[in-house]
Structures are given as C-alpha cells and as structure tokens.
Amino acid sequence: MTGLWAVLFVLAAATAVGLWFQRNNGRVKDAPVSRVPMAGDGDPPADIEPEPPTAEAEALAPVLAGRLGEHATMVQFSSAFCQPCRATRRILEEVSVMVPGVSHVEIDAEENLELVRVLDIRRTPTVLFLDRHGVVRKQASGQPRKADVVAALGELMPDEGMDFMI
Amino acid sequence: MSNASAAVLPASRRPVDPRGPRFGAAVTTVVLIAALVTVGTTVGTVLIAWQTVAFALGALVGLQAQPYGVLFRRLVRPRLAPPAELEDPAAPRFAQAVGLLFMVVALIASLTGITIVATIAVALALAAAFLNAAFNFCLGCEMYLLGARLRRS
C-alpha cells in the first residue's frame, strides 16, 4: 500500500517538474540586470564615461576575440551529453545566415568550465544573446524556438531594421 | 553525420532513432512503477534486479544491447515512419548510467532488507524515467554540467 502512495506521489511531483520545465525550456529571457552595465536600452550617451567591463564581459572577451558579429552575437554553450544541442546549433546557424551581421559561436562547456562558472551556465544548451558591444542582453536555457531567436535579435538591434522578417 | 561515416562507427557510437530511448524510458517507467508497488517483496527484488541488468547493458555495452532498445528496433520501429533525424547515443547512454547508479543502490538495499532506501532509490529512478518518457526531459543529462562544475572546482 505504501508503494502505491509512493508511485502516486512520484508521478505527481514529476509531472509538476515536467510542466515547469516545458514552460521555461528554451524561453528567451532578459539577462540578469547585473550583466548589463547601463540601465535602459541603446548606447550610453557620449558624454558619460563608459562603464568598466563586467566580470562576464572580461571572461567572454578572449573566447569571442574576432568572432563578435557586427550587430549581434549568439553564444551557444554545448556539451557531449546534450540531446538538443545539435538542433539548437542548426537553428542558430540558419538564423545567422538569414540575418546579416549576426554571428553564432559555439562553446564546449566542459572545456571552458571557468567561463561556465563565471557566467553561471547551468544547462546545455544555453544561448547568450550579445549586442554589438559584446554585452550579454538576453539568454535562453534549453533549445529555443527559431521565432523567439529572431524576435530577441530584433530587440537587440532595433536600429538595423529587421527587413528580413517581412 | 553522413551515412558513410555512420557505417564505419562501432555499434555503440552509431546515431540512434531518438524515439528508441524515449520508448525505453516508457517501458522503464512501467517496470519501476511495478517495482515500487512491490518493493520489499521477492517480486520487487526481481523487478529491481531486471531493471539493473537492463540499465547495465545500455550503459556498459551500449544502446544497441539495451533490451528495451532491442524491443523497439524489432517490434516498434518497423511500424513507424523513418525518424526525422538521428541523435548521438552519448546522452541517452549517459542517462542509462545514471539510472544504473540508482538501481545498484536499490538492488543492494533490497537484498539486504533496507526497504526504505530501496523505496527512495526506485522512486528517484522512476521520476527520472517518467520525465524522460512524458516530457522528453533528460534529468541525468541536465545534471551533467552541474556535476562537471562541482567536480573540477
């Protein structure tokens, strides 16, 4: 009898976890405020000293050297034991071909554990969306939908015009 | 991965139909529900032992040897349309290893009469298998990066 209750409890708890996972998996969210040096969107006014780079930006810089997109960069963290990493790579590669000035950089999480800790990456795939200054503006953990990726880039580069979306 | 490169890979490394591991997770869920209901009895111990063997074959030999995978390839896959894409067997094989870990604990506890430990271990394995079957959520895979972060800090 105890076993039957245990079964019901486990299935109920797992269903709750599963529904939560389904809701949040791959959603593109704003990056934590601490990652964004300037409040508000857009560039800082010219007469204000630029903020010192965040620890995140400093850690990312050597990995991204020469690979930053002109307008935006999508940084994907992947690992060997990751089912959705391959599909995520395909989506991001398609988008980077479709949207001019956007690059896609894939990083092996296990080979860059220090960076993973600094950026507090907990799952693979995790995708960071960087603006043209290399600042992390948005992120998604889990495989994002293509439409959400395109929408996130649209928010990231409002000045560039998103003609390709029409 | 092209078909040419797949042909030369050993069986344990060949890309798999992703519906296979998911089918296996569904069978595992049913077996573990039965094991959890009967834990502490001889039937419960036999079910735990069987699932331990199934996970051990999947984790130590490869997915091609996993009994539920064999069942899928022989009986289910011939009735389905070809898969949209194949997946690397590394992640599902890792999940088998995580399952094996829990089932070894459950089996030892079951054989030594520590029913509460066996119950908890089977319950955790059941939760993971159910999440995989119902939501395509690989708990072991999700834990992997967190584990790697801790291990080498």
Side-chain angles (χ1 to χ4, degrees):
Chain A
M1 199 58 210
T2 321
L4 207 57
W5 284 113
V7 168
L8 290 176
F9 173 77
V10 168
L11 294 185
T15 301
V17 171
L19 289 173
W20 176 86
F21 159 78
Q22 244 176 12
R23 205 180 125 76
N24 288 288
N25 190 46
R27 266 196 169 185
V28 181
K29 297 172 182 168
D30 288 332
V33 181
S34 63
R35 282 200 187 152
V36 183
M38 294 297 295
D41 286 324
D43 298 331
D47 55 337
I48 294 179
E49 278 287 301
E51 295 267 329
T54 59
E56 284 93 347
E58 276 185 348
L60 268 169
V63 186
L64 296 180
R67 297 161 88 185
L68 268 186
E70 190 187 340
H71 299 314
T73 309
M74 301 177 289
V75 181
Q76 174 186 349
F77 285 86
S78 299
S79 63
F81 303 120
C82 172
Q83 288 167 307
C85 283
R86 194 195 288 201
T88 302
R89 177 189 314 141
R90 202 183 51 231
I91 290 170
L92 298 186
E93 271 171 5
E94 278 171 17
V95 171
S96 70
V97 168
M98 184 174 76
V99 188
V102 172
S103 72
H104 169 228
V105 177
E106 189 168 1
I107 295 176
D108 186 322
E110 288 171 79
E111 284 174 13
N112 294 277
L113 280 178
E114 201 47 52
L115 182 60
V116 163
R117 285 193 203 102
V118 172
L119 294 168
D120 195 23
I121 306 293
R122 292 169 196 183
R123 298 176 54 196
T124 51
T126 289
V127 183
L128 307 178
F129 296 86
L130 279 56
D131 66 15
R132 61 198 181 94
H133 305 293
V135 176
V136 181
R137 295 279 178 186
K138 292 180 177 294
Q139 66 182 69
S141 60
Q143 180 185 334
R145 295 186 311 144
K146 195 172 173 181
D148 293 341
V149 171
V150 173
L153 290 173
E155 281 186 58
L156 230 65
M157 34 192 273
D159 305 335
E160 313 307 331
M162 299 291 276
D163 301 336
F164 58 87
M165 288 177 74
I166 301 163
Chain B
M1 204 170 286
S2 72
N3 288 330
S5 69
V8 295
L9 283 171
S12 61
R13 299 266 310 275
R14 266 174 227 158
V16 294
D17 185 338
R19 296 169 298 186
R22 196 135 178 220
F23 171 82
V27 177
T28 302
T29 300
V30 173
V31 171
L32 290 181
I33 285 176
L36 195 50
V37 171
T38 55
V39 73
T41 69
T42 309
V43 174
T45 306
V46 170
L47 286 168
I48 290 171
W50 160 250
Q51 187 56 46
T52 309
V53 171
F55 276 147
L57 286 168
L60 305 178
V61 182
L63 294 182
Q64 79 283 357
Q66 218 281 355
Y68 311 153
V70 174
L71 200 66
F72 175 80
R73 283 198 306 279
R74 296 249 172 92
L75 297 179
V76 184
R77 189 164 168 179
R79 294 158 206 272
L80 299 177
E85 61 182 301
L86 300 175
E87 75 171 6
D88 193 278
R93 192 171 172 180
F94 178 72
Q96 295 279 308
V98 175
L100 176 61
L101 205 71
F102 282 107
M103 294 317 289
V104 165
V105 172
L107 184 59
I108 293 171
S110 193
L111 289 172
T112 51
I114 316 171
T115 308
I116 182 67
V117 174
T119 303
I120 292 169
V122 173
L124 290 172
L126 170 60
F130 175 73
L131 278 171
N132 198 344
F135 296 97
N136 203 18
F137 176 58
C138 176
L139 194 62
C141 307
E142 299 293 341
M143 294 295 136
Y144 179 76
L145 186 59
L146 289 175
R149 277 175 62 166
L150 289 174
R151 199 173 62 233
R152 282 171 254 174
S153 54

